[in-house]
Amino acid sequence: MIEAFGLTSNPRKELPPAVDDVSFEARAGRVTALLGAPGAGKTTALRLMLELQRGRGLTHFRGRPLHRIAHPVREVGVLLGDVPGHPARTVRGHLRMLCAAAGVPVRRADEVLEAVGLMSLRDERLGTLSRGMDRRLGLACALLADPHTLVLDDPAGALSAREAAWVHTMLRAHASQGGTVLFSTADPKEAARAADHVVTLEQGRVVADQEAPDFSRTRLRPRVVVRTPYAARLATVLTKEARAARRSVEIVREGGNRLAVYGGTCADIGDTAFRHGILVHQLADEYGDMGPGAGVIPVVSRPGSTHGRGADTGSVPPSRDGGLPEPVDASGPAGVRPATAGAPPVTDADAPSPHTHTHPHTDTLTDPDPDPDPEPTPGADPGADTVTHADAVPPTSAAADLSPAASQHSPAPAASQPRPAPGRPVRPAPARTLATGAASPLPPPVSVRSAPSPLRPLRYEFRRAAGIRTGFVTIAVVLLVSVVTAVILARVGHTPQPQLLAAWPQELPLPPAALGAGLLGALASGDEFRHPALAADRGAVPRRLGLLVAKLLVSAVTALVLAALTVGGNAAVLHLFYGPELAGVPADWPALGAGWLALVVGCGWAGVLAAGVFRSTTAGLAAVVAVPVLVVPLVQKVWDGPSVRTAAGLPMRTRELFLTTWPFGGERYVAEVLRMIAQPVGSALALSVTALLCAYLLMTLRSRPQ
């Protein structure tokens, strides 16, 4: 169950808040629609509920706010917009990666793929999916952790009728199993067709909180649309026949040759037109949208009651082209009503009830009740009329006399307390309360909840890195460039053997393997911000220490593999072309090998940290190149300064400091490590990695919610 209390967004400059004091409930086992025109505040309300946007208010998911739920992804499944996964990743690979992030078994990916009908497309790339398949994948992502609640923003938008029906069938199936479903839409017909409960927003406020049958009666009206060049004549004939047959018919002239007939059928209207020789161009059943503000006073007529069905006040049903319908001439028949005030209020004198008859001489015709005997509301008096809107205005004469212009400038119903009419119980809107239950004049602030790091970060990072071909292509290109460079250097000559095995010419600041490791490290962080699969609804993945450690470990393993393959491949090719002379093992291979591995791993870490700090793959690679180009000259200048002691005797002084001999000749390895650190490249790389790590930690601490 979802309980939203006083959701209010922060206003921007002089503009009013997009959402102002929105309160409603979405019960378990039911589908609730959040209806509103574009700009009404639906998406903002959902983001406030999910703590993705700052504002005020409180939202409980089964009695707990989202920031107090240990694993929110297992409680609430979210679908806001398109799936922003990497376009080169497969459907199955994307879900398997999210399984590690949610901490669920990997077999869950195949289960949801089977449920949403994407098993046959499991090997397709995300960038090749159609709109309908993308929505199916988004629903699969929302259902991955088997949440109790689903929150979806326009899940059937821009879909075909068949795909939209499938989406709502899935939502209905989830609700039938006891889950809570809340989705937003701008289509009243979709809300009436797919939801059990409809909450209507208009200009950031709740203007209706109704059950689906009540919403259909008050917001959607069945009608027959007729197009004929003899519209006035047909309206006159239909009115006369309705009076003779004592039927309630309302005819609205909607402009041009178009009529909207409420209370008739296509068969009756077609027969009438045929008998009187009237040419008809179109004859079709429709459900007319009453427009924003409709359904303010929906009153359901009960058996035995002398009251008729109340109607909307102050609303104007739009014409088909979006403007106001054309009024009918004053000389027209009495039964033809211009569409200037929607459905006018019905009084006791002229409202036909299911058990009364209209006087044959009555000229005022009203639209019939499509559901004259609905099911009584639980807990309500069967003999009383029930107002189903949460903030309904009592049907007094003053409210009935409101003009459309006056109703638009009047205060919104949600801003005032409803005043119940005598004998008509009014359902109140949810009260704004704090977690303690005490009333509060101002809702509590909504703090942006940070996106949780993957529950299994190392497994997630391995699947992320292996899920696309970019890493494998990069390694292949690096090996090819290294082999070609080593062959050319051997042919030219005058290159030391260690640099020959590493394919590192003196003219280049870094060898190809180091640049490749830096690029892979930059991609590890850069892709998270470019395609934020972990925080699809936030647009950027927050910096998390657990995710950073996983990326550093995976990049280190990748760099070590790349370094070993580079040296091994270069040695094999040199042995093939030039014999064993150039492919031999150097005498001081332990120190050289340690330095080579440290260089490649350091470049990979620099790429990871720089891309994480600057949120860009290009910035990560630029930081790797800046180490030999900018930082090394600076370090050399510092080492050559007169105020800095040289590190020539550093290994001996370190050995004397410990006053002991390392077992198994370990002092030799310590001396080699210190000698590498004392070199300008090693010092510059260590300095860069340390500075980037400190910057990353500082930004991580600053981005945490207080």
Side-chain angles (χ1 to χ4, degrees):
M1 178 177 179
I2 303 176
E3 298 172 297
F5 308 101
L7 298 178
T8 305
S9 62
N10 292 335
R12 295 183 178 180
K13 297 182 180 180
E14 301 298 331
L15 299 177
V19 172
D20 187 8
D21 195 16
V22 171
S23 301
F24 63 91
E25 293 180 357
R27 297 186 176 274
R30 310 186 69 190
V31 178
T32 304
L34 193 63
L35 175 66
K42 306 183 298 296
T43 302
T44 303
L46 296 182
R47 293 182 65 85
L48 288 172
M49 293 170 56
L50 298 172
E51 300 179 4
L52 304 177
Q53 182 173 331
R54 297 186 184 278
R56 307 197 72 86
L58 187 65
T59 304
H60 284 167
F61 296 89
R62 290 203 290 182
R64 295 178 298 171
L66 201 61
H67 61 271
R68 295 188 178 275
I69 300 176
H71 303 299
V73 70
R74 299 181 180 178
E75 176 65 28
V76 183
V78 180
L79 176 58
L80 303 180
D82 299 334
V83 178
H86 197 288
R89 199 179 305 278
T90 63
V91 172
R92 188 180 186 184
H94 183 76
L95 290 178
R96 289 169 66 92
M97 182 183 68
L98 295 182
C99 284
V104 297
V106 70
R107 65 176 180 273
R108 179 64 180 171
D110 293 333
E111 294 175 0
V112 295
L113 283 177
E114 186 70 29
V116 301
L118 288 180
M119 182 58 72
S120 60
L121 301 178
R122 61 183 180 272
D123 295 327
E124 294 291 328
R125 307 290 175 179
L126 299 187
T128 63
L129 296 180
S130 63
R131 173 70 176 178
M133 296 301 103
D134 183 84
R135 304 308 285 178
R136 290 184 181 233
L137 178 59
L139 189 57
C141 295
L143 294 171
L144 192 63
D146 194 18
H148 175 270
T149 304
L150 290 180
V151 177
L152 309 101
D153 187 14
D154 197 12
L159 294 182
S160 63
R162 180 180 178 182
E163 288 289 344
W166 179 89
V167 169
H168 290 300
T169 301
M170 289 292 296
L171 300 184
R172 177 67 61 186
H174 184 80
S176 64
Q177 296 176 0
T180 304
V181 177
L182 174 65
F183 74 94
S184 67
T185 180
D187 187 2
K189 300 176 185 178
E190 179 185 358
R193 183 170 54 248
D196 302 313
H197 192 86
V198 182
V199 179
T200 306
L201 294 183
E202 183 179 343
Q203 297 181 357
R205 289 178 174 268
V206 176
V207 297
D209 191 341
Q210 304 166 284
E211 298 296 323
D214 299 330
F215 170 80
S216 299
R217 278 193 299 269
T218 58
R219 181 71 183 267
L220 301 177
R221 302 178 65 192
R223 64 184 180 184
V224 178
V225 175
V226 186
R227 288 188 182 273
T228 172
Y230 308 100
R233 180 184 171 191
L234 180 60
T236 303
V237 172
L238 291 175
T239 302
K240 290 181 179 179
E241 291 194 357
R243 289 174 178 173
R246 299 181 182 180
R247 289 188 292 107
S248 177
V249 174
E250 180 182 359
I251 304 174
V252 178
R253 183 82 172 271
E254 294 190 345
N257 298 328
R258 189 173 188 271
L259 294 178
V261 182
Y262 297 91
T265 63
C266 288
D268 294 339
I269 297 173
D271 291 343
T272 301
F274 178 77
R275 289 195 307 269
H276 292 82
I278 299 177
L279 178 64
V280 174
H281 291 165
Q282 180 188 9
L283 188 63
D285 289 315
E286 282 189 1
Y287 276 84
D289 182 9
M290 294 294 292
V296 177
I297 315 177
V299 181
V300 180
S301 178
R302 300 295 180 187
S305 173
T306 59
H307 295 282
R309 180 173 60 88
D312 309 327
T313 60
S315 62
V316 181
S319 64
R320 197 163 185 84
D321 57 358
L324 294 179
E326 296 181 2
V328 179
D329 298 337
S331 59
V336 181
R337 298 185 178 182
T340 56
V346 181
T347 61
D348 296 341
D350 60 2
S353 67
H355 301 284
T356 59
H357 298 284
T358 305
H359 195 274
H361 301 290
T362 302
D363 292 336
T364 304
L365 302 178
T366 60
D367 57 316
D369 193 344
D371 189 7
D373 192 12
E375 292 293 330
T377 304
D381 186 4
D385 296 339
T386 303
V387 180
T388 58
H389 181 257
D391 302 313
V393 181
T396 60
S397 59
D401 294 335
L402 285 176
S403 63
S407 65
Q408 292 178 2
H409 294 286
S410 62
S416 59
Q417 295 293 334
R419 188 157 49 96
R424 294 180 178 177
V426 178
R427 177 185 175 187
R432 289 187 302 178
T433 57
L434 294 172
T436 58
S440 172
L442 194 63
V446 176
S447 299
V448 177
R449 176 179 55 87
S450 60
S453 59
L455 297 181
R456 299 171 182 173
L458 191 59
R459 189 176 303 178
Y460 164 83
E461 181 59 23
F462 268 117
R463 291 175 181 170
R464 186 209 61 80
I468 56 178
R469 294 175 293 186
T470 305
F472 301 103
V473 173
T474 302
I475 293 176
V477 171
V478 167
L479 294 178
L480 180 61
V481 173
S482 297
V483 167
V484 174
T485 304
V487 171
I488 294 176
L489 290 178
R491 182 66 178 269
V492 174
H494 309 292
T495 302
Q497 187 183 15
Q499 292 186 353
L500 194 61
L501 293 176
W504 189 358
Q506 297 179 357
E507 292 78 8
L508 294 180
L510 287 174
L515 289 174
L519 176 60
L520 292 176
L523 288 172
S525 292
D527 281 350
E528 293 286 4
F529 301 110
R530 188 177 179 183
H531 309 287
L534 282 179
D537 42 15
R538 289 169 173 82
V541 180
R543 303 176 180 90
R544 303 303 296 263
L545 295 182
L547 186 59
L548 173 64
V549 172
K551 290 185 179 300
L552 291 179
L553 290 176
V554 174
S555 64
V557 172
T558 305
L560 292 176
V561 172
L562 181 59
L565 291 177
T566 300
V567 173
N570 293 343
V573 173
L574 290 176
H575 184 275
L576 179 63
F577 278 87
Y578 302 103
E581 293 80 6
L582 297 180
V585 179
D588 54 346
W589 66 269
L592 293 175
W596 169 246
L597 297 178
L599 174 66
V600 178
V601 172
C603 289
W605 284 359
V608 171
L609 293 171
V613 170
F614 300 106
R615 298 182 183 271
S616 171
T617 303
T618 305
L621 186 59
V624 174
V625 178
V627 171
V629 175
L630 299 178
V631 184
V632 167
L634 179 62
V635 172
Q636 286 179 338
K637 185 176 181 180
V638 171
W639 278 109
D640 295 339
S643 60
V644 180
R645 296 183 60 186
T646 179
L650 186 60
M652 185 59 66
R653 290 195 300 271
T654 304
R655 182 176 179 179
E656 294 174 354
L657 178 64
F658 286 100
L659 299 178
T660 57
T661 301
W662 291 78
F664 307 104
E667 68 277 2
R668 181 163 59 91
Y669 299 102
V670 174
E672 294 295 341
V673 171
L674 295 176
R675 185 171 64 85
M676 286 187 298
I677 296 178
Q679 292 178 356
V681 176
S683 301
L685 190 57
L687 179 63
S688 298
V689 171
T690 303
L692 291 172
L693 181 60
C694 293
Y696 192 98
L697 295 177
L698 179 61
M699 292 185 176
T700 300
L701 295 177
R702 290 183 59 184
S703 63
R704 286 185 177 179
Q706 301 297 327

